[in-house]
Amino acid sequence: QVQLVESGGGLVQAGGSLRLSCVASGSIFGIYFMGWYRQAPGKQRELVASITNGGSTNYAESVKGRFTISRDNAKNTMYLQMNSLKPEDTALYYCKASAQGTTGRTYDVWGQGTQVTVSS
């Protein structure tokens, strides 16, 4: 199984920047997809950005041009660089990995979440 630990959240003023990190451990060889999701109070969890093993990235329209997702395979770490932050970016941010186990079964793993709060 894969374990994920996020860090890097905090309180920032509008227009500021934060970088989130997600460190993967365990059976990381099976990971084929990783993504950042967020959930604001009273709203559904939504995909913010994702990256595949091949390096293909995908972004929510609301963050395009402001957020950048990346991976450092040597450190087993995924990042989300968030620039030009807006109050509407305030949410609990989760890291997710999709992996295939040794039996061929695929499964999803979530981190515990890290809070991002953007003040106006």
Side-chain angles (χ1 to χ4, degrees), residues 63-119:
V63 306
K64 280 184 180 178
R66 300 188 298 123
F67 291 11
T68 303
I69 190 171
S70 62
R71 288 176 67 169
D72 184 335
N73 291 329
K75 296 182 179 180
N76 300 327
T77 303
M78 176 178 67
Y79 302 99
L80 184 68
Q81 178 66 44
M82 304 185 294
N83 299 328
S84 302
L85 282 160
K86 304 175 181 180
E88 50 264 43
D89 294 317
T90 295
L92 190 58
Y93 283 70
Y94 296 91
C95 168
K96 172 189 166 183
S98 297
Q100 185 173 43
T102 55
T103 63
R105 180 181 66 90
T106 59
Y107 60 94
D108 292 333
V109 178
W110 293 87
Q112 82 285 357
T114 185
Q115 179 68 39
V116 172
T117 303
V118 185
S119 63

